[in-house]
């Protein structure tokens, strides 16, 4: 493809004339990897075709929602039927009750559920609820975790514990983030120090159980256990942001994996998104009944939304959850993702490229680093130029990974072993060019 035949180019220029950066979400602009984003014309199964009709094996899948692959026939059929019944009512429907019940069935810690339209909205609302329930203002989040773009969560790490986070975005007043403390992921000592200093002022600790926003970093069992213990001791809430991991790493979400390692483990609140909408705008937050009952119209914590529980989105989400609840779905997905990761690792080793991998269910991460990172700083030691060369080598050959070294990857049920082999073969060629 030469620049003057790449139809993505004029389309990107046109987009930039009317949409800031030409995109409706920054990561799509390819700023981290350079080059021109591929505009998707259509998608089917594990593939999408761009404006040039070039086919790509899709390892983003809308950053998580498309766990069944694009255009699953039963999902299409369900959505088509739902559309005929009406798009949106602003009134309760049975289907949103059924979806909330299904979520509770699969995630027992979510005794009550509130449906919203995006992960940001769910995370923002869970935070407000934690502050309303505890009557406290301070929140603890971790470097490398992303919980959507609510003001008090757009915070970069302060230097050391004493200084609270400073906002990572213009337009967020210092007052709004003065109660947000940013600690190092997997750093138990720092967490304990924070609680010994201000434990009784902390409303909640929020974390990604597997941090997909720094590619793929697992919270250690010890770190998870200490968060659970310290929040309980100090009357703070533990919020699990499973927007990315939810129903992707396991049918019971990441919390079901940690509950196998920590006796009786469960977070107080959980944030969900992506998979539960199956590609339609749908997210949720939920948890212990006594906490959730603080929410309007029952309690004093206000939260609302015109399209919350949207009838088309609930139909799409319900069918998606039904299909991924089939026996063996996640174990099969875990195996397939493993084949991809082990295949890439084998090729990198052959080419003498430092490469580390990890995966769980349909979520994966690879690093051009010899050892798997456990903190954000370690992730960012990756040689960006090397990653970008790898990225574009794969993209040119029709294999579409996340356009940033700190983002995770996604495999769907629609990817076949042949697709995986094709991707590994392409990587063999690309590693040789590095
Ligand atoms: P949304 O508001 O984008 O639906 O969800 C925010 C969010 C919350 N929590 C976690 C753990 C998330 O990963 C996300 C969104 N993830 C990004 C991927 N890094 C979505 C891609 C994008 O921002 O365009």
């Amino acid at each position: 493809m030469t620049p003057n035949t790449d139809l993505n180019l004029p389309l990107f220029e046109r987009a930039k004339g009317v949409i800031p950066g030409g995109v409706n979400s920054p990561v799509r602009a390819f700023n981290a990897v350079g080059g021109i984003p591929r505009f998707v014309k259509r998608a089917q199964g594990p593939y999408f075709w761009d404006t040039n009709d070039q086919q790509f094996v899709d390892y983003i899948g809308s950053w998580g929602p498309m766990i069944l692959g694009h255009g699953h026939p039963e999902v299409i059929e369900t959505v088509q039927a739902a559309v005929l019944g009406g798009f949106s009512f602003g009134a309760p429907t049975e289907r949103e009750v059924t979806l909330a019940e299904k979520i509770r069935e699969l995630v027992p810690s979510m005794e009550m559920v509130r449906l919203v339209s995006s992960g940001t909205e769910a995370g923002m609302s869970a935070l407000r609820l934690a502050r309303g329930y505890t009557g406290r203002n301070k929140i603890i989040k971790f470097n490398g975790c992303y919980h959507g773009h609510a003001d008090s969560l757009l915070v970069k790490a302060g230097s050391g514990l004493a200084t609270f986070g400073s906002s990572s975005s213009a337009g967020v007043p210092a007052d709004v983030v003065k109660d947000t403390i940013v600690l190092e992921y997997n750093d138990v000592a720092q967490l304990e120090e924070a609680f010994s200093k201000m434990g009784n002022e902390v409303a909640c600790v929020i974390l990604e159980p597997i941090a997909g926003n720094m590619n793929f970093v697992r919270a250690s069992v010890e770190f998870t256990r200490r968060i659970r213990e310290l929040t309980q001791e100090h009357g703070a809430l533990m919020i699990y942001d499973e927007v990315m991991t939810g129903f992707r790493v396991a049918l019971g979400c990441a919390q079901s994996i940690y509950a196998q390692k920590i006796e009786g483990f469960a977070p107080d609140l959980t944030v969900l998104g992506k998979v539960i909408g199956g590609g339609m705008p749908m997210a949720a937050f939920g948890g212990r009944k006594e906490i959730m009952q603080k929410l309007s119209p029952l309690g004093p914590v206000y939260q609302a939304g015109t399209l919350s529980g949207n009838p088309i989105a609930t139909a799409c989400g319900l069918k998606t959850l039904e299909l991924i609840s089939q026996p063996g779905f996640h174990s099969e997905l875990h195996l397939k993702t493993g084949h991809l990761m082990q295949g890439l690792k084998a090729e990198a080793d052959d080419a003498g490229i430092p490469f580390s991998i990890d995966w769980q269910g349909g979520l994966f991460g690879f690093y051009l680093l010899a050892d798997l990172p456990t903190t954000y700083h370690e992730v960012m030691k990756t040689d960006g130029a090397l990653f970008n060369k790898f990225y574009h080598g794969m993209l040119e050959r029709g294999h579409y990974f996340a356009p940033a070294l700190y983002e995770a990857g996604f495999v769907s049920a629609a990817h076949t072993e042949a697709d995986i082999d094709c991707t590994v073969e392409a990587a063999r060629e690309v590693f040789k060019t590095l």
Side-chain angles (χ1 to χ4, degrees):
M1 196 66 57
T2 55
N4 58 10
T5 60
D6 178 357
L7 299 177
N8 292 297
L9 199 57
L11 188 45
F12 192 37
E13 289 313 309
R14 188 177 131 211
K16 286 194 280 192
V18 65
I19 301 171
V23 291
N24 285 310
S25 199
V27 72
R28 304 175 188 174
F30 270 36
N31 288 355
V33 292
I36 307 297
R38 294 328 190 243
F39 281 66
V40 179
K41 204 152 103 175
R42 68 183 181 87
Q44 181 57 46
Y47 314 120
F48 74 79
W49 288 263
D50 76 351
T51 321
N52 306 318
D53 282 325
Q54 180 179 1
Q55 177 182 308
F56 292 87
V57 184
D58 181 6
Y59 290 107
I60 296 189
S62 177
W63 300 92
M66 307 321 294
I67 191 167
L68 291 167
H70 298 287
H72 188 290
E74 290 183 60
V75 176
I76 298 263
E77 198 182 312
T78 302
V79 170
Q80 282 174 327
V83 158
L84 299 176
F87 281 62
S88 181
F89 315 119
T93 63
E94 183 181 0
R95 202 148 53 212
E96 54 205 277
V97 180
T98 311
L99 178 57
E101 289 168 342
K102 181 70 177 173
I103 289 171
R104 180 176 60 185
E105 176 202 328
L106 296 173
V107 191
S109 72
M110 297 177 78
E111 295 172 349
M112 297 200 90
V113 177
R114 172 63 56 89
L115 302 177
V116 294
S117 299
S118 76
T120 291
E121 196 183 349
M124 172 182 75
S125 308
L127 220 54
R128 182 181 313 129
L129 177 59
R131 284 171 157 161
Y133 176 76
T134 60
R136 300 174 181 179
N137 295 336
K138 287 187 175 38
I139 61 173
I140 292 176
K141 74 173 289 286
F142 299 98
N143 224 352
C145 288
Y146 174 66
H147 304 292
H149 60 88
D151 277 358
S152 46
L153 286 164
L154 284 182
V155 184
K156 59 177 179 286
S159 52
L161 188 60
T163 58
F164 292 109
S166 51
S167 45
S168 58
S169 163
V172 178
D175 268 2
V176 169
V177 295
K178 68 177 172 46
D179 289 316
T180 303
I181 303 156
V182 184
L183 302 180
E184 282 310 309
Y185 199 75
N186 280 327
D187 186 333
V188 173
Q190 198 191 34
L191 177 80
E192 289 176 337
E193 186 195 357
F195 269 93
S196 64
K197 280 196 176 144
M198 55 190 91
N200 59 1
E201 298 173 63
V202 175
C204 64
V205 174
I206 184 168
L207 74 153
E208 295 181 60
I210 297 175
N213 285 286
M214 43 178 160
N215 197 331
F216 190 109
V217 180
R218 293 176 193 267
S220 71
V221 173
E222 185 45 27
F223 184 59
T224 307
R225 183 201 317 279
R226 286 306 285 144
I227 295 173
R228 185 60 288 182
E229 289 168 351
L230 288 164
T231 46
Q232 252 148 358
E233 276 165 42
H234 293 83
L237 301 185
M238 182 174 187
I239 303 179
Y240 240 29
D241 181 343
E242 296 231 44
V243 167
M244 196 183 277
T245 53
F247 304 115
R248 174 164 283 276
V249 300
L251 184 56
C253 305
Q255 54 193 271
S256 66
I257 296 171
Y258 283 88
Q260 287 163 4
K261 301 171 183 170
I262 304 170
E263 180 63 32
F265 172 75
D268 296 301
L269 291 175
T270 297
V271 182
L272 296 173
K274 298 180 190 276
V275 169
I276 71 166
M280 300 291 285
M282 168 67 67
F285 63 103
R288 283 199 283 126
K289 195 167 186 171
E290 58 174 329
I291 303 172
M292 292 300 286
Q293 289 187 327
K294 288 285 183 188
L295 272 177
S296 172
L298 282 181
V301 180
Y302 192 69
Q303 184 275 329
T306 302
L307 298 176
S308 295
N310 173 271
I312 316 298
T314 51
C316 190
L318 261 175
K319 178 53 76 176
T320 299
L321 289 183
E322 178 198 315
L323 291 169
I324 70 170
S325 300
Q326 284 162 0
F329 180 89
H330 285 86
S331 47
E332 222 172 280
L333 191 55
H334 183 74
L335 270 179
K336 192 174 349 178
T337 309
H339 289 159
L340 174 67
M341 288 297 100
Q342 289 158 335
L344 294 180
K345 172 79 176 145
E347 297 306 338
D349 290 351
D350 273 1
I353 306 282
F355 202 80
S356 50
I357 56 174
D358 199 356
W359 72 97
Q360 189 69 47
L363 188 69
F364 68 79
F366 59 77
Y367 298 89
L368 295 177
L369 294 167
D371 304 317
L372 264 183
T374 59
T375 69
Y376 179 67
H377 294 296
E378 288 168 17
V379 170
M380 297 317 281
K381 283 180 187 156
T382 304
D383 175 342
L386 193 67
F387 174 82
N388 293 352
K389 216 164 167 233
F390 173 75
Y391 183 82
H392 282 286
M394 294 303 283
L395 190 67
E396 279 152 25
R397 290 165 174 79
H399 302 271
Y400 188 70
F401 288 98
L405 59 87
Y406 46 78
E407 295 283 3
F410 307 86
V411 172
S412 81
H415 287 81
T416 63
E417 292 297 342
D419 294 315
I420 304 285
D421 293 344
C422 181
T423 301
V424 171
E425 182 50 40
R428 182 206 311 272
E429 292 171 20
V430 175
F431 282 130
K432 288 198 177 80
T433 69
L434 298 189

